[in-house]
Amino acid sequence: MSPRPTGAELADAWTARFGDEVTTEETFGGLAVGVAPELWVDALTFARDDLACGFFDWLTGVDEMEDGFAVVVHVYSLERRHHLLVRTRVTKRAPVLATATGVYRGAGWHERETAEMFGILFEGHPNLVPLLLPDGFEGHPLRKDFVLAARVAKPWPGAKEPGESGHGAPSRRRVRPPGVPEGWGPNA
């Protein structure tokens, strides 16, 4: 492999190691690799050890509705100067994935945040405790089905609806904020 590998060379390395068990796609910033959840730790170890991606940048989740949750990691090679996105998908019914903390120590904080915000359980994580939300908070606020209670309990800050500014413009029909079920909130 060249000092700064091309996307095709990286894709070939993934295919040589994992065969048809991975998918690769060239993106603007580098190569995106899709792996099955059971290959998650092996794929990250391969990226670190064989492709020299020793710099862990970030890990997050993406709510893909009925398709489940995508978990995405961005890593970088300081020596070879290439980026990799490694991603997998877990089901909404059982959002469980092996922890990446044994491969990248920096994943610990990101997995705690992702667990709290999306409800994904990272098995084997050394300290999977809440990180950002107040004690007693219920739910996972980055899931697309999470109800934004503040949108119902008080007016949304920023621009006012027509007719609320006091300049005589006619008011328009009130609409329910996105994601808020009908008949929900203090004015129901």
Side-chain angles (χ1 to χ4, degrees), residues 10-27:
L10 290 170
D12 290 345
W14 281 95
T15 304
R17 167 64 173 83
F18 293 98
D20 293 340
E21 296 184 274
V22 299
T23 60
T24 58
E25 171 189 2
E26 288 198 48
T27 64

Side-chain angles (χ1 to χ4, degrees), residues 40-70:
W40 182 244
V41 174
D42 290 340
L44 294 176
T45 304
F46 176 72
R48 181 193 65 192
D49 296 347
D50 294 13
L51 301 178
C53 292
F55 182 79
F56 173 86
D57 192 10
W58 49 262
L59 176 149
T60 193
V62 179
D63 186 347
E64 295 184 339
M65 305 294 283
E66 59 276 344
D67 292 335
F69 298 106

